């Protein structure tokens, strides 16, 4: 069940048009933009913060990020998150945050 929730969380968080593969030359303009956003470095310190609030804080730091939480799929906006990272890419922060908080490893987000 936890694995299903982890996969749901990863699949339901989306950044417009990203599909993580090695075909960067075939990317759409939206995918290129999303890939750049995921590579931006930032610092976070989430201590027992609601998932929705943590994602909102990340969006405030990196303009252009868009997340959708699939509450119908079983991901709670109120799940508390604790995660700290200094000077890491958004992709690394999301991967680490989900893995550390029992949501599994988020393998870069699905294409929209």
């Amino acid at each position: 069940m936890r694995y299903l929730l982890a996969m749901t969380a990863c699949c339901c968080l989306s950044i417009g048009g990203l599909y993580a593969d090695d075909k960067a030359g075939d990317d759409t303009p939206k995918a290129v933009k999303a890939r750049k956003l995921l590579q931006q470095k930032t610092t976070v310190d989430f201590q027992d913060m609601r998932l929705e609030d943590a994602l909102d804080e990340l969006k405030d730091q990196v303009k252009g990020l868009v997340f959708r939480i699939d509450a119908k799929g079983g991901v709670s906006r109120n799940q508390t998150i604790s995660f700290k990272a200094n000077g890491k890419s958004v992709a690394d922060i999301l991967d680490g945050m989900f893995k550390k908080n029992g949501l599994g490893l988020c393998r870069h987000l699905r294409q929209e």
Side-chain angles (χ1 to χ4, degrees), residues 10-28:
C10 290
C11 290
C12 294
L13 291 173
S14 66
I15 298 177
L18 175 68
Y19 183 74
D21 61 13
D22 295 327
K23 299 178 183 178
D26 296 336
D27 282 346
T28 66

Side-chain angles (χ1 to χ4, degrees), residues 5-103:
L5 287 175
M7 294 309 297
T8 302
C10 290
C11 290
C12 294
L13 291 173
S14 66
I15 298 177
L18 175 68
Y19 183 74
D21 61 13
D22 295 327
K23 299 178 183 178
D26 296 336
D27 282 346
T28 66
K30 283 185 177 182
V32 170
K33 180 181 177 185
R35 195 174 308 282
K36 286 180 183 177
L37 289 172
L38 284 173
Q39 294 310 312
Q40 284 190 24
K41 306 270 187 205
T42 192
T43 297
V44 297
D45 187 3
F46 305 138
Q47 297 301 320
D48 295 321
M49 185 178 285
R50 291 181 39 218
L51 174 61
E52 185 171 40
D53 294 338
L55 294 175
D56 285 345
E57 186 174 312
L58 197 53
K59 286 190 298 188
D60 288 343
Q61 292 182 32
V62 180
K63 300 300 181 201
L65 285 178
V66 177
F67 298 104
R68 284 192 317 230
I69 298 173
D70 184 13
K72 290 181 182 178
V75 178
S76 173
R77 297 174 187 279
N78 295 321
Q79 176 174 347
T80 57
I81 297 291
S82 291
F83 185 74
K84 186 174 185 175
N86 187 12
K88 299 282 187 178
S89 70
V90 172
D92 289 340
I93 289 170
L94 291 172
D95 284 343
M97 184 172 76
F98 292 141
K99 184 176 180 182
K100 180 179 185 256
N101 289 281
L103 296 173

